[in-house]
Amino acid sequence: MVIKVFIASSSGSKAIKKQQQEVVDYLQSNKIDFERCDIAVNDANRMFMRENVPEKCRPVSGVPLPPQIFNNDHYCGNFEAFFDARENNAVYAFLGLTAPPGSKEAEALAKRDA
């Protein structure tokens, strides 16, 4: 399974840059393997992102903005969904991954299933 984070390296928006960095920093600090897919320099990445974000998850403008997160071809969500998952200690579930033993998420799942 490959986590793909679609970013724009040349975004003029400070908010988008901050959100992208927040996602990347979290994944790196938690040693979650991922691939950066830059939509600013690769048309194939841009087309994939635009075509694979579900209609119900698109903004009013219809064009999804980075960061967008996928597990292979499965859409996980945008920054807001990632942020909510992080706040609820559910990032691994959000990404479609198994939480590692000893993580807050794994401990919460164990308590819930007990």
Side-chain angles (χ1 to χ4, degrees), residues 56-76:
K56 66 180 180 167
C57 299
R58 293 174 183 261
V60 176
S61 69
V63 179
L65 299 173
Q68 298 291 333
I69 306 162
F70 289 80
N71 183 333
N72 289 322
D73 293 340
H74 173 74
Y75 181 67
C76 298

Side-chain angles (χ1 to χ4, degrees), residues 1 6 8-9 11-12 18 29 34 39 43 45 47-48 51 53 56 59 62 67 69-70 80 84 89 108 110-111:
M1 297 185 160
F6 286 81
S9 60
S11 174
K18 182 180 177 194
S29 68
F34 70 99
I39 67 168
D43 286 336
N45 285 340
M47 292 307 297
F48 177 88
E51 292 171 0
V53 172
K56 66 180 180 167
I69 306 162
F70 289 80
E80 288 78 16
D84 289 345
N89 291 320
K111 286 180 184 176

Side-chain angles (χ1 to χ4, degrees), residues 62-112:
V63 179
L65 299 173
Q68 298 291 333
I69 306 162
F70 289 80
N71 183 333
N72 289 322
D73 293 340
H74 173 74
Y75 181 67
C76 298
N78 60 11
F79 176 77
E80 288 78 16
F82 172 81
F83 181 83
D84 289 345
R86 191 180 69 192
E87 290 297 306
N88 292 313
N89 291 320
V91 171
Y92 289 94
F94 167 78
L95 296 172
L97 302 173
T98 301
S103 68
K104 288 181 182 179
E105 190 169 340
E107 290 173 5
L109 288 171
K111 286 180 184 176
R112 186 190 74 194

Side-chain angles (χ1 to χ4, degrees), residues 5-78:
V5 180
F6 286 81
I7 63 163
S9 60
S10 62
S11 174
S13 167
K14 287 183 181 180
I16 288 176
K17 286 180 183 179
K18 182 180 177 194
Q19 291 174 354
Q20 292 174 160
Q21 195 59 50
E22 222 173 296
V23 171
V24 167
D25 288 349
Y26 182 90
L27 296 175
Q28 288 176 334
S29 68
N30 285 281
K31 297 179 177 56
I32 298 172
D33 290 332
F34 70 99
E35 176 184 334
R36 290 181 210 219
C37 301
D38 192 346
I39 67 168
V41 296
N42 186 313
D43 286 336
N45 285 340
R46 182 171 43 251
M47 292 307 297
F48 177 88
M49 184 187 85
R50 287 184 176 178
E51 292 171 0
N52 290 285
V53 172
E55 287 294 325
K56 66 180 180 167
C57 299
R58 293 174 183 261
V60 176
S61 69
V63 179
L65 299 173
Q68 298 291 333
I69 306 162
F70 289 80
N71 183 333
N72 289 322
D73 293 340
H74 173 74
Y75 181 67
C76 298
N78 60 11

